[in-house]
Amino acid sequence: MRGAGDQWQFANGVTFVGGRVLGFGNVLTSGLDAGITYLAPFAGVGYASRDGAEDQARLRHEQDTKMKALARVFHAAGIRCEVLDASKMQTTLWRKLIVNAAINPLASLLDAPNRVSSNSVASSEGSRHCVNMVVQEALAVAEQEQIPLECTQNELVEDILEVARNTGSNVCSMLADLRRGSRTEVEAITGRIVAGGKRHGVPTPTNELLLSLIKALEDEGTRRQSE
């Protein structure tokens, strides 16, 4: 959350709710009943080493008040949310990264929503195998990055397939970008796993292949736009 000055620079968040903009002020959501949005304060926001214990306690109280107010806004909008400690957000962000790395490239290559068609991420045996490989590689990278994901590969795969089912009507942002002929966020998602693998000497062949294929589709979209 960022705004003028430092007033709104207090929260970090990640959501497992799907959404697609249909028009101005018109958003189609999916997974709203099952998906959760996680909020956490930015670690150390407003703190300084020179602050005394009393000042830090006051700042923490102000931060907690803002987080509770923000959570009430989400709840009032019908969005389930949970406030986490700042220390737990890194784990949650990595879980979201792996979910996106497993779903978005596959849905984009299949040119399909997460669940609706017969060749979708959640219903295809081949797709589920690919999800397993993406997760296996990502977990190996996360371990080297010392990210405590606190789950097994099978548990995370089931979570991913559940997200795909819950957001079944959603056209992921990566596919939406490709359909527009735009660049995608694949470097920030799959590329993050591949880069981590190279940094730590962890093989990530499945993620590397998906990254290359999505970038090839990006290049083709750019070529068509220029014709």
PDB file of all heavy atoms in Angstrom, residues 121-153:
ATOM      1  N   VAL A 121      -5.461 -26.554 -16.403  1.00  0.00           N
ATOM      2  CA  VAL A 121      -4.420 -26.894 -15.439  1.00  0.00           C
ATOM      3  C   VAL A 121      -4.887 -27.942 -14.441  1.00  0.00           C
ATOM      4  O   VAL A 121      -4.151 -28.863 -14.096  1.00  0.00           O
ATOM      5  CB  VAL A 121      -3.957 -25.617 -14.704  1.00  0.00           C
ATOM      6  CG1 VAL A 121      -3.014 -25.964 -13.566  1.00  0.00           C
ATOM      7  CG2 VAL A 121      -3.287 -24.661 -15.681  1.00  0.00           C
ATOM      8  N   ALA A 122      -6.115 -27.831 -13.967  1.00  0.00           N
ATOM      9  CA  ALA A 122      -6.581 -28.718 -12.902  1.00  0.00           C
ATOM     10  C   ALA A 122      -7.127 -30.045 -13.402  1.00  0.00           C
ATOM     11  O   ALA A 122      -7.268 -30.980 -12.623  1.00  0.00           O
ATOM     12  CB  ALA A 122      -7.656 -28.009 -12.072  1.00  0.00           C
ATOM     13  N   SER A 123      -7.444 -30.157 -14.695  1.00  0.00           N
ATOM     14  CA  SER A 123      -8.128 -31.361 -15.162  1.00  0.00           C
ATOM     15  C   SER A 123      -7.280 -32.249 -16.066  1.00  0.00           C
ATOM     16  O   SER A 123      -7.668 -33.374 -16.355  1.00  0.00           O
ATOM     17  CB  SER A 123      -9.411 -30.968 -15.913  1.00  0.00           C
ATOM     18  OG  SER A 123      -9.102 -30.130 -17.006  1.00  0.00           O
ATOM     19  N   SER A 124      -6.138 -31.769 -16.510  1.00  0.00           N
ATOM     20  CA  SER A 124      -5.303 -32.538 -17.428  1.00  0.00           C
ATOM     21  C   SER A 124      -4.209 -33.281 -16.668  1.00  0.00           C
ATOM     22  O   SER A 124      -3.504 -32.701 -15.845  1.00  0.00           O
ATOM     23  CB  SER A 124      -4.670 -31.594 -18.463  1.00  0.00           C
ATOM     24  OG  SER A 124      -3.589 -32.221 -19.112  1.00  0.00           O
ATOM     25  N   GLU A 125      -4.054 -34.558 -16.966  1.00  0.00           N
ATOM     26  CA  GLU A 125      -3.010 -35.359 -16.327  1.00  0.00           C
ATOM     27  C   GLU A 125      -1.628 -34.817 -16.670  1.00  0.00           C
ATOM     28  O   GLU A 125      -0.736 -34.736 -15.814  1.00  0.00           O
ATOM     29  CB  GLU A 125      -3.128 -36.817 -16.776  1.00  0.00           C
ATOM     30  CG  GLU A 125      -2.153 -37.758 -16.085  1.00  0.00           C
ATOM     31  CD  GLU A 125      -2.414 -37.874 -14.596  1.00  0.00           C
ATOM     32  OE1 GLU A 125      -3.578 -37.782 -14.189  1.00  0.00           O
ATOM     33  OE2 GLU A 125      -1.433 -38.052 -13.840  1.00  0.00           O
ATOM     34  N   GLY A 126      -1.445 -34.426 -17.934  1.00  0.00           N
ATOM     35  CA  GLY A 126      -0.162 -33.865 -18.338  1.00  0.00           C
ATOM     36  C   GLY A 126       0.150 -32.569 -17.620  1.00  0.00           C
ATOM     37  O   GLY A 126       1.293 -32.325 -17.210  1.00  0.00           O
ATOM     38  N   SER A 127      -0.866 -31.735 -17.442  1.00  0.00           N
ATOM     39  CA  SER A 127      -0.668 -30.476 -16.731  1.00  0.00           C
ATOM     40  C   SER A 127      -0.308 -30.719 -15.272  1.00  0.00           C
ATOM     41  O   SER A 127       0.563 -30.053 -14.713  1.00  0.00           O
ATOM     42  CB  SER A 127      -1.931 -29.610 -16.816  1.00  0.00           C
ATOM     43  OG  SER A 127      -2.149 -29.180 -18.132  1.00  0.00           O
ATOM     44  N   ARG A 128      -0.984 -31.678 -14.658  1.00  0.00           N
ATOM     45  CA  ARG A 128      -0.690 -31.970 -13.250  1.00  0.00           C
ATOM     46  C   ARG A 128       0.740 -32.471 -13.083  1.00  0.00           C
ATOM     47  O   ARG A 128       1.409 -32.149 -12.097  1.00  0.00           O
ATOM     48  CB  ARG A 128      -1.695 -32.985 -12.699  1.00  0.00           C
ATOM     49  CG  ARG A 128      -3.091 -32.413 -12.506  1.00  0.00           C
ATOM     50  CD  ARG A 128      -3.928 -33.294 -11.597  1.00  0.00           C
ATOM     51  NE  ARG A 128      -4.178 -34.595 -12.196  1.00  0.00           N
ATOM     52  CZ  ARG A 128      -5.220 -34.867 -12.985  1.00  0.00           C
ATOM     53  NH1 ARG A 128      -6.086 -33.913 -13.285  1.00  0.00           N
ATOM     54  NH2 ARG A 128      -5.388 -36.072 -13.479  1.00  0.00           N
ATOM     55  N   HIS A 129       1.216 -33.249 -14.052  1.00  0.00           N
ATOM     56  CA  HIS A 129       2.609 -33.705 -13.996  1.00  0.00           C
ATOM     57  C   HIS A 129       3.556 -32.508 -14.091  1.00  0.00           C
ATOM     58  O   HIS A 129       4.555 -32.432 -13.356  1.00  0.00           O
ATOM     59  CB  HIS A 129       2.894 -34.687 -15.129  1.00  0.00           C
ATOM     60  CG  HIS A 129       4.332 -35.104 -15.220  1.00  0.00           C
ATOM     61  ND1 HIS A 129       4.940 -35.912 -14.281  1.00  0.00           N
ATOM     62  CD2 HIS A 129       5.298 -34.790 -16.133  1.00  0.00           C
ATOM     63  CE1 HIS A 129       6.207 -36.095 -14.607  1.00  0.00           C
ATOM     64  NE2 HIS A 129       6.452 -35.427 -15.720  1.00  0.00           N
ATOM     65  N   CYS A 130       3.239 -31.588 -14.978  1.00  0.00           N
ATOM     66  CA  CYS A 130       4.075 -30.398 -15.131  1.00  0.00           C
ATOM     67  C   CYS A 130       4.059 -29.562 -13.856  1.00  0.00           C
ATOM     68  O   CYS A 130       5.092 -29.032 -13.436  1.00  0.00           O
ATOM     69  CB  CYS A 130       3.587 -29.575 -16.324  1.00  0.00           C
ATOM     70  SG  CYS A 130       4.737 -28.283 -16.838  1.00  0.00           S
ATOM     71  N   VAL A 131       2.886 -29.447 -13.227  1.00  0.00           N
ATOM     72  CA  VAL A 131       2.785 -28.729 -11.951  1.00  0.00           C
ATOM     73  C   VAL A 131       3.720 -29.360 -10.925  1.00  0.00           C
ATOM     74  O   VAL A 131       4.438 -28.668 -10.194  1.00  0.00           O
ATOM     75  CB  VAL A 131       1.330 -28.731 -11.437  1.00  0.00           C
ATOM     76  CG1 VAL A 131       1.275 -28.288  -9.969  1.00  0.00           C
ATOM     77  CG2 VAL A 131       0.460 -27.819 -12.286  1.00  0.00           C
ATOM     78  N   ASN A 132       3.729 -30.686 -10.868  1.00  0.00           N
ATOM     79  CA  ASN A 132       4.610 -31.384  -9.930  1.00  0.00           C
ATOM     80  C   ASN A 132       6.075 -31.036 -10.171  1.00  0.00           C
ATOM     81  O   ASN A 132       6.834 -30.810  -9.219  1.00  0.00           O
ATOM     82  CB  ASN A 132       4.412 -32.897 -10.051  1.00  0.00           C
ATOM     83  CG  ASN A 132       3.439 -33.448  -9.033  1.00  0.00           C
ATOM     84  OD1 ASN A 132       3.750 -33.526  -7.849  1.00  0.00           O
ATOM     85  ND2 ASN A 132       2.257 -33.814  -9.500  1.00  0.00           N
ATOM     86  N   MET A 133       6.481 -30.983 -11.431  1.00  0.00           N
ATOM     87  CA  MET A 133       7.871 -30.688 -11.750  1.00  0.00           C
ATOM     88  C   MET A 133       8.226 -29.244 -11.404  1.00  0.00           C
ATOM     89  O   MET A 133       9.308 -28.961 -10.880  1.00  0.00           O
ATOM     90  CB  MET A 133       8.134 -30.961 -13.231  1.00  0.00           C
ATOM     91  CG  MET A 133       7.934 -32.407 -13.644  1.00  0.00           C
ATOM     92  SD  MET A 133       8.890 -33.571 -12.626  1.00  0.00           S
ATOM     93  CE  MET A 133      10.565 -33.053 -13.022  1.00  0.00           C
ATOM     94  N   VAL A 134       7.304 -28.321 -11.699  1.00  0.00           N
ATOM     95  CA  VAL A 134       7.532 -26.911 -11.349  1.00  0.00           C
ATOM     96  C   VAL A 134       7.710 -26.771  -9.842  1.00  0.00           C
ATOM     97  O   VAL A 134       8.629 -26.096  -9.358  1.00  0.00           O
ATOM     98  CB  VAL A 134       6.361 -26.033 -11.835  1.00  0.00           C
ATOM     99  CG1 VAL A 134       6.446 -24.631 -11.225  1.00  0.00           C
ATOM    100  CG2 VAL A 134       6.361 -25.938 -13.355  1.00  0.00           C
ATOM    101  N   VAL A 135       6.838 -27.422  -9.090  1.00  0.00           N
ATOM    102  CA  VAL A 135       6.884 -27.325  -7.627  1.00  0.00           C
ATOM    103  C   VAL A 135       8.159 -27.959  -7.081  1.00  0.00           C
ATOM    104  O   VAL A 135       8.812 -27.407  -6.187  1.00  0.00           O
ATOM    105  CB  VAL A 135       5.641 -27.986  -7.003  1.00  0.00           C
ATOM    106  CG1 VAL A 135       5.783 -28.092  -5.487  1.00  0.00           C
ATOM    107  CG2 VAL A 135       4.392 -27.185  -7.369  1.00  0.00           C
ATOM    108  N   GLN A 136       8.521 -29.109  -7.608  1.00  0.00           N
ATOM    109  CA  GLN A 136       9.732 -29.790  -7.137  1.00  0.00           C
ATOM    110  C   GLN A 136      10.955 -28.893  -7.297  1.00  0.00           C
ATOM    111  O   GLN A 136      11.772 -28.758  -6.372  1.00  0.00           O
ATOM    112  CB  GLN A 136       9.926 -31.091  -7.912  1.00  0.00           C
ATOM    113  CG  GLN A 136      11.120 -31.918  -7.455  1.00  0.00           C
ATOM    114  CD  GLN A 136      11.253 -33.200  -8.258  1.00  0.00           C
ATOM    115  OE1 GLN A 136      11.300 -33.185  -9.487  1.00  0.00           O
ATOM    116  NE2 GLN A 136      11.295 -34.322  -7.562  1.00  0.00           N
ATOM    117  N   GLU A 137      11.084 -28.261  -8.446  1.00  0.00           N
ATOM    118  CA  GLU A 137      12.222 -27.383  -8.692  1.00  0.00           C
ATOM    119  C   GLU A 137      12.162 -26.136  -7.816  1.00  0.00           C
ATOM    120  O   GLU A 137      13.177 -25.700  -7.252  1.00  0.00           O
ATOM    121  CB  GLU A 137      12.258 -26.988 -10.167  1.00  0.00           C
ATOM    122  CG  GLU A 137      12.516 -28.155 -11.104  1.00  0.00           C
ATOM    123  CD  GLU A 137      12.314 -27.805 -12.564  1.00  0.00           C
ATOM    124  OE1 GLU A 137      12.165 -26.605 -12.878  1.00  0.00           O
ATOM    125  OE2 GLU A 137      12.312 -28.727 -13.399  1.00  0.00           O
ATOM    126  N   ALA A 138      10.972 -25.565  -7.689  1.00  0.00           N
ATOM    127  CA  ALA A 138      10.820 -24.340  -6.899  1.00  0.00           C
ATOM    128  C   ALA A 138      11.120 -24.590  -5.426  1.00  0.00           C
ATOM    129  O   ALA A 138      11.745 -23.751  -4.757  1.00  0.00           O
ATOM    130  CB  ALA A 138       9.411 -23.781  -7.064  1.00  0.00           C
ATOM    131  N   LEU A 139      10.695 -25.731  -4.911  1.00  0.00           N
ATOM    132  CA  LEU A 139      10.978 -26.059  -3.512  1.00  0.00           C
ATOM    133  C   LEU A 139      12.475 -26.214  -3.275  1.00  0.00           C
ATOM    134  O   LEU A 139      12.992 -25.813  -2.221  1.00  0.00           O
ATOM    135  CB  LEU A 139      10.247 -27.339  -3.108  1.00  0.00           C
ATOM    136  CG  LEU A 139       8.740 -27.224  -2.896  1.00  0.00           C
ATOM    137  CD1 LEU A 139       8.141 -28.592  -2.596  1.00  0.00           C
ATOM    138  CD2 LEU A 139       8.417 -26.254  -1.767  1.00  0.00           C
ATOM    139  N   ALA A 140      13.170 -26.785  -4.247  1.00  0.00           N
ATOM    140  CA  ALA A 140      14.619 -26.940  -4.112  1.00  0.00           C
ATOM    141  C   ALA A 140      15.309 -25.579  -4.070  1.00  0.00           C
ATOM    142  O   ALA A 140      16.257 -25.369  -3.298  1.00  0.00           O
ATOM    143  CB  ALA A 140      15.162 -27.780  -5.267  1.00  0.00           C
ATOM    144  N   VAL A 141      14.823 -24.644  -4.888  1.00  0.00           N
ATOM    145  CA  VAL A 141      15.384 -23.288  -4.876  1.00  0.00           C
ATOM    146  C   VAL A 141      15.047 -22.589  -3.563  1.00  0.00           C
ATOM    147  O   VAL A 141      15.907 -21.947  -2.944  1.00  0.00           O
ATOM    148  CB  VAL A 141      14.857 -22.467  -6.074  1.00  0.00           C
ATOM    149  CG1 VAL A 141      15.313 -21.009  -5.968  1.00  0.00           C
ATOM    150  CG2 VAL A 141      15.335 -23.075  -7.386  1.00  0.00           C
ATOM    151  N   ALA A 142      13.797 -22.715  -3.124  1.00  0.00           N
ATOM    152  CA  ALA A 142      13.380 -22.073  -1.874  1.00  0.00           C
ATOM    153  C   ALA A 142      14.199 -22.574  -0.690  1.00  0.00           C
ATOM    154  O   ALA A 142      14.544 -21.804   0.213  1.00  0.00           O
ATOM    155  CB  ALA A 142      11.894 -22.323  -1.630  1.00  0.00           C
ATOM    156  N   GLU A 143      14.512 -23.855  -0.703  1.00  0.00           N
ATOM    157  CA  GLU A 143      15.329 -24.411   0.382  1.00  0.00           C
ATOM    158  C   GLU A 143      16.704 -23.752   0.415  1.00  0.00           C
ATOM    159  O   GLU A 143      17.217 -23.407   1.488  1.00  0.00           O
ATOM    160  CB  GLU A 143      15.476 -25.921   0.203  1.00  0.00           C
ATOM    161  CG  GLU A 143      16.268 -26.588   1.316  1.00  0.00           C
ATOM    162  CD  GLU A 143      16.368 -28.093   1.145  1.00  0.00           C
ATOM    163  OE1 GLU A 143      15.890 -28.610   0.116  1.00  0.00           O
ATOM    164  OE2 GLU A 143      16.931 -28.755   2.034  1.00  0.00           O
ATOM    165  N   GLN A 144      17.290 -23.552  -0.764  1.00  0.00           N
ATOM    166  CA  GLN A 144      18.595 -22.894  -0.829  1.00  0.00           C
ATOM    167  C   GLN A 144      18.500 -21.418  -0.445  1.00  0.00           C
ATOM    168  O   GLN A 144      19.457 -20.841   0.067  1.00  0.00           O
ATOM    169  CB  GLN A 144      19.179 -23.032  -2.238  1.00  0.00           C
ATOM    170  CG  GLN A 144      19.545 -24.446  -2.626  1.00  0.00           C
ATOM    171  CD  GLN A 144      20.578 -25.049  -1.693  1.00  0.00           C
ATOM    172  OE1 GLN A 144      21.588 -24.421  -1.359  1.00  0.00           O
ATOM    173  NE2 GLN A 144      20.325 -26.273  -1.242  1.00  0.00           N
ATOM    174  N   GLU A 145      17.334 -20.820  -0.682  1.00  0.00           N
ATOM    175  CA  GLU A 145      17.112 -19.423  -0.304  1.00  0.00           C
ATOM    176  C   GLU A 145      16.746 -19.289   1.173  1.00  0.00           C
ATOM    177  O   GLU A 145      16.519 -18.183   1.660  1.00  0.00           O
ATOM    178  CB  GLU A 145      15.992 -18.822  -1.159  1.00  0.00           C
ATOM    179  CG  GLU A 145      16.290 -18.764  -2.639  1.00  0.00           C
ATOM    180  CD  GLU A 145      16.954 -17.468  -3.060  1.00  0.00           C
ATOM    181  OE1 GLU A 145      16.467 -16.393  -2.683  1.00  0.00           O
ATOM    182  OE2 GLU A 145      17.973 -17.546  -3.766  1.00  0.00           O
ATOM    183  N   GLN A 146      16.637 -20.439   1.839  1.00  0.00           N
ATOM    184  CA  GLN A 146      16.299 -20.493   3.268  1.00  0.00           C
ATOM    185  C   GLN A 146      14.914 -19.897   3.541  1.00  0.00           C
ATOM    186  O   GLN A 146      14.710 -19.157   4.501  1.00  0.00           O
ATOM    187  CB  GLN A 146      17.377 -19.792   4.107  1.00  0.00           C
ATOM    188  CG  GLN A 146      18.745 -20.449   3.988  1.00  0.00           C
ATOM    189  CD  GLN A 146      19.804 -19.814   4.874  1.00  0.00           C
ATOM    190  OE1 GLN A 146      19.662 -18.688   5.339  1.00  0.00           O
ATOM    191  NE2 GLN A 146      20.873 -20.550   5.117  1.00  0.00           N
ATOM    192  N   ILE A 147      13.975 -20.261   2.667  1.00  0.00           N
ATOM    193  CA  ILE A 147      12.581 -19.864   2.836  1.00  0.00           C
ATOM    194  C   ILE A 147      11.828 -21.034   3.472  1.00  0.00           C
ATOM    195  O   ILE A 147      11.709 -22.100   2.863  1.00  0.00           O
ATOM    196  CB  ILE A 147      11.928 -19.505   1.486  1.00  0.00           C
ATOM    197  CG1 ILE A 147      12.733 -18.429   0.764  1.00  0.00           C
ATOM    198  CG2 ILE A 147      10.487 -19.075   1.688  1.00  0.00           C
ATOM    199  CD1 ILE A 147      12.780 -17.094   1.477  1.00  0.00           C
ATOM    200  N   PRO A 148      11.313 -20.878   4.676  1.00  0.00           N
ATOM    201  CA  PRO A 148      10.617 -21.985   5.358  1.00  0.00           C
ATOM    202  C   PRO A 148       9.174 -22.126   4.876  1.00  0.00           C
ATOM    203  O   PRO A 148       8.254 -21.525   5.427  1.00  0.00           O
ATOM    204  CB  PRO A 148      10.670 -21.557   6.829  1.00  0.00           C
ATOM    205  CG  PRO A 148      10.662 -20.055   6.779  1.00  0.00           C
ATOM    206  CD  PRO A 148      11.387 -19.664   5.519  1.00  0.00           C
ATOM    207  N   LEU A 149       8.959 -22.933   3.843  1.00  0.00           N
ATOM    208  CA  LEU A 149       7.615 -23.061   3.274  1.00  0.00           C
ATOM    209  C   LEU A 149       6.699 -23.943   4.116  1.00  0.00           C
ATOM    210  O   LEU A 149       5.484 -23.890   3.977  1.00  0.00           O
ATOM    211  CB  LEU A 149       7.704 -23.603   1.849  1.00  0.00           C
ATOM    212  CG  LEU A 149       8.311 -22.623   0.842  1.00  0.00           C
ATOM    213  CD1 LEU A 149       8.458 -23.273  -0.521  1.00  0.00           C
ATOM    214  CD2 LEU A 149       7.466 -21.367   0.731  1.00  0.00           C
ATOM    215  N   GLU A 150       7.260 -24.783   4.953  1.00  0.00           N
ATOM    216  CA  GLU A 150       6.486 -25.544   5.937  1.00  0.00           C
ATOM    217  C   GLU A 150       5.403 -26.405   5.292  1.00  0.00           C
ATOM    218  O   GLU A 150       4.271 -26.479   5.776  1.00  0.00           O
ATOM    219  CB  GLU A 150       5.862 -24.591   6.970  1.00  0.00           C
ATOM    220  CG  GLU A 150       6.899 -23.745   7.710  1.00  0.00           C
ATOM    221  CD  GLU A 150       6.265 -22.661   8.566  1.00  0.00           C
ATOM    222  OE1 GLU A 150       5.037 -22.449   8.427  1.00  0.00           O
ATOM    223  OE2 GLU A 150       6.983 -22.026   9.350  1.00  0.00           O
ATOM    224  N   CYS A 151       5.734 -27.035   4.164  1.00  0.00           N
ATOM    225  CA  CYS A 151       4.794 -27.945   3.516  1.00  0.00           C
ATOM    226  C   CYS A 151       5.577 -28.911   2.644  1.00  0.00           C
ATOM    227  O   CYS A 151       6.711 -28.639   2.256  1.00  0.00           O
ATOM    228  CB  CYS A 151       3.770 -27.180   2.674  1.00  0.00           C
ATOM    229  SG  CYS A 151       4.502 -26.251   1.309  1.00  0.00           S
ATOM    230  N   THR A 152       4.956 -30.046   2.339  1.00  0.00           N
ATOM    231  CA  THR A 152       5.582 -31.014   1.447  1.00  0.00           C
ATOM    232  C   THR A 152       5.240 -30.673  -0.002  1.00  0.00           C
ATOM    233  O   THR A 152       4.365 -29.852  -0.279  1.00  0.00           O
ATOM    234  CB  THR A 152       5.086 -32.429   1.756  1.00  0.00           C
ATOM    235  OG1 THR A 152       3.683 -32.507   1.427  1.00  0.00           O
ATOM    236  CG2 THR A 152       5.288 -32.777   3.224  1.00  0.00           C
ATOM    237  N   GLN A 153       5.927 -31.335  -0.916  1.00  0.00           N
ATOM    238  CA  GLN A 153       5.640 -31.124  -2.333  1.00  0.00           C
ATOM    239  C   GLN A 153       4.197 -31.505  -2.654  1.00  0.00           C
ATOM    240  O   GLN A 153       3.489 -30.761  -3.346  1.00  0.00           O
ATOM    241  CB  GLN A 153       6.597 -31.944  -3.197  1.00  0.00           C
ATOM    242  CG  GLN A 153       6.336 -31.804  -4.695  1.00  0.00           C
ATOM    243  CD  GLN A 153       7.330 -32.582  -5.535  1.00  0.00           C
ATOM    244  OE1 GLN A 153       8.459 -32.820  -5.096  1.00  0.00           O
ATOM    245  NE2 GLN A 153       6.933 -32.990  -6.723  1.00  0.00           N
TER     246      GLN A 153
END
